Amino acid sequence: MSQDLVIDVRNVTKHFGGIAAVEDCSLSVRRGSITGLIGPNGAGKSTLFNMVAGNIVPDSGQVIFDGADVTGMPPHDLFRRGMLRTFQIAHEFSHMTALENLMMVPGDQPGEHLGNVWFRPFSASQRERDVRAKALDVIDFLKLGHVRDELAGNLSGGQKKLLELGRTMMVDAKVVLLDEVAAGVNRTLLNDLAGNIERMNRELGYTFFVIEHDMDLIGRLCDPVIVMAQGSKIAEGPMAEIRSNPEIIEAYFGSPVEVA
């Protein structure tokens, strides 16, 4: 079973001062799934997510990624291992085009080293052509051809989120962490974004771990859905089951409510 898990969080704890943000929390993400993480404000979701992504080091516990203990490993090393993250606020290179933003992603390109440019110019130029071809394929997949040569800083919020999603396609990602992907995106582009996530999962085999407040989006994309409250995981299952469980609703909203 463990080899089917791309992320396995084991009994992690994180305190800030005297406050326990995450307390002895364990959860996992199955390879090939779109797994959602939800919970009320202050539940510990963002802290947990940041520990998985390498932005915060847990006080105790382990983060296992693709079978290896990566607890406390910085984000750039996790990137090399195949863990990629998008952010609530898109991090584009605003003065570069959408196409150039995608071409910046793959690391260790020969053209980055001056010696290769001088002494192995064919290798550098061939690699650049390959990266450009890959970027054009990604733009075509995401239907962003109409903004290919537009400066990324001029794109709408939704287009920037699509571009961030495209950047995850420029390398061999084993898992993509999506942080509040719906934030600042209009409903039309959000539908496009969700459709592309589904296609990447279904057609390309991408695994996603999604933290999100938009319950409709979570319900559309995610199975299973993990619920956190007061720093710990309290439930996991299909969204229909989560929505209909009165104990989960009470923990999530603070009092029993009707959920459609």
Side-chain angles (χ1 to χ4, degrees):
M1 175 66 178
S2 60
Q3 60 186 326
D4 293 330
L5 303 181
V6 67
I7 294 173
D8 189 12
V9 177
R10 302 176 180 174
N11 306 106
V12 296
T13 292
K14 184 65 184 180
H15 290 194
F16 296 102
I19 299 173
V22 175
E23 190 71 53
D24 194 31
C25 184
S26 297
L27 55 81
S28 60
V29 175
R30 192 182 72 254
R31 199 180 307 276
S33 71
I34 305 179
T35 298
L37 180 63
I38 66 173
N41 290 332
K45 305 183 304 296
S46 294
T47 301
L48 187 285
F49 214 64
N50 281 320
M51 285 191 285
V52 171
N55 301 105
I56 294 176
V57 179
D59 297 332
S60 61
Q62 292 177 293
V63 178
I64 309 298
F65 172 52
D66 202 30
D69 188 341
V70 298
T71 310
M73 187 174 288
H76 61 271
D77 286 335
L78 292 172
F79 174 86
R80 292 191 186 101
R81 288 173 175 260
M83 182 188 294
L84 280 70
R85 178 181 184 175
T86 70
F87 291 86
Q88 180 175 352
I89 300 174
H91 289 57
E92 77 283 352
F93 297 104
S94 59
H95 296 295
M96 301 177 73
T97 67
L99 179 63
E100 289 167 341
N101 265 261
L102 295 181
M103 293 179 66
M104 285 288 291
V105 177
D108 297 322
Q109 298 186 44
E112 295 174 359
H113 305 285
L114 190 57
N116 287 327
V117 176
W118 285 347
F119 301 114
R120 302 176 61 196
F122 177 78
S123 173
S125 61
Q126 181 60 50
R127 174 61 172 155
E128 183 173 352
R129 284 194 293 271
D130 291 344
V131 170
R132 179 183 173 86
K134 172 74 170 177
L136 289 170
D137 285 344
V138 170
I139 280 178
D140 183 59
F141 183 92
L142 296 175
K143 298 181 174 61
L144 284 174
H146 59 296
V147 295
R148 184 188 78 177
D149 299 316
E150 183 67 60
L151 293 180
N154 295 337
L155 303 182
S156 70
Q159 289 168 336
K160 289 178 181 179
K161 291 288 181 74
L162 280 170
L163 185 62
E164 275 217 332
L165 194 62
R167 288 183 359 200
T168 72
M169 299 176 66
M170 291 298 297
V171 293
D172 295 325
K174 294 175 182 174
V175 65
V176 178
L177 308 182
L178 298 179
D179 188 354
E180 296 285 354
V181 69
V185 181
N186 67 51
R187 301 311 298 185
T188 299
L189 275 176
L190 184 57
N191 187 60
D192 291 343
L193 193 59
N196 280 302
I197 292 168
E198 289 169 329
R199 287 178 63 211
M200 289 171 67
N201 174 254
R202 181 178 64 250
E203 298 174 18
L204 305 178
Y206 276 68
T207 301
F208 291 95
F209 188 27
V210 185
I211 183 172
E212 183 56 64
H213 282 100
D214 188 318
M215 293 299 99
D216 289 337
L217 184 64
I218 286 286
R220 170 177 172 173
L221 291 177
C222 300
D223 186 9
V225 177
I226 298 169
V227 186
M228 286 186 68
Q230 298 181 342
S232 298
K233 170 184 163 180
I234 63 169
E236 178 177 347
M239 192 58 174
E241 179 181 304
I242 298 298
R243 285 183 182 272
S244 62
N245 189 318
E247 292 181 13
I248 295 172
I249 295 168
E250 183 168 2
Y252 195 95
F253 295 102
S255 61
V257 295
E258 298 245 351
V259 177

